[in-house]
Amino acid sequence: MSNKITIEQIDALIFDFDGVLTDNLVYISEEGKETVRCSRSDGLAFDVLRKILKPTYLLSTEENIVVSSRAKKLKIPVLQGIENKLVGIQEIIKKENCLIENVFYVGNDLNDYRVMSLCGMTGCPADSHDK
């Protein structure tokens, strides 16, 4: 039996924002304006997911214009300001009519841990929290 995940097994993909679609750094200007750094390469991946009709979401505890702007650019829906990510995941599962074991979640920090333990498939960047 193979541990390989195929795209057919995935009903929805959900990504945390900070640390997953950013380099996990925040830049603050003298005026207090917050910015982050994202990779343009992510845009191509989200284009492919859209073409193969896989529901894809951003899920963030942060409520920030940078999250909204990036989601708009990537043309994917975003749930932000979600303190309990389990609530956000359940909202997505209900909307997409899928099972949590068919959700692929990508997170990087402790606030993603509980969600990741429930989703059937998970991934994280190499510099994620050890847990």
Side-chain angles (χ1 to χ4, degrees), residues 20-131:
V20 173
L21 295 185
T22 74
D23 61 2
N24 212 21
L25 298 175
V26 62
Y27 305 92
I28 312 274
S29 72
E30 290 176 358
E31 296 81 26
K33 184 178 179 187
E34 185 175 305
T35 60
V36 296
R37 188 169 90 166
C38 299
S39 174
R40 290 190 184 272
S41 299
D42 293 338
L44 296 173
F46 285 102
D47 287 345
V48 169
L49 293 173
R50 205 171 19 267
K51 286 178 184 173
I52 62 173
L53 305 174
K54 291 294 175 179
T56 305
Y57 292 82
L58 291 182
L59 179 61
S60 180
T61 54
E62 290 282 325
E63 189 163 350
N64 195 316
I65 190 70
V66 296
V67 179
S68 303
S69 295
R70 190 62 181 151
K72 183 178 180 182
K73 176 78 174 178
L74 295 172
K75 300 177 188 157
I76 59 173
V78 60
L79 282 76
Q80 59 180 315
I82 308 295
E83 288 187 35
N84 182 346
K85 289 190 174 185
L86 291 175
V87 172
I89 287 283
Q90 291 182 354
E91 184 178 321
I92 294 168
I93 287 170
K94 184 177 180 182
K95 181 178 181 184
E96 297 300 333
N97 194 27
C98 63
L99 302 171
I100 198 158
E101 51 267 13
N102 297 337
V103 170
F104 193 107
Y105 184 86
V106 182
N108 75 310
D109 214 338
L110 289 176
N111 65 342
D112 299 303
Y113 182 76
R114 192 158 172 226
V115 172
M116 293 176 83
S117 68
L118 294 175
C119 290
M121 298 162 267
T122 61
C124 59
D127 65 347
S128 297
H129 189 278
D130 290 340
K131 195 167 189 173

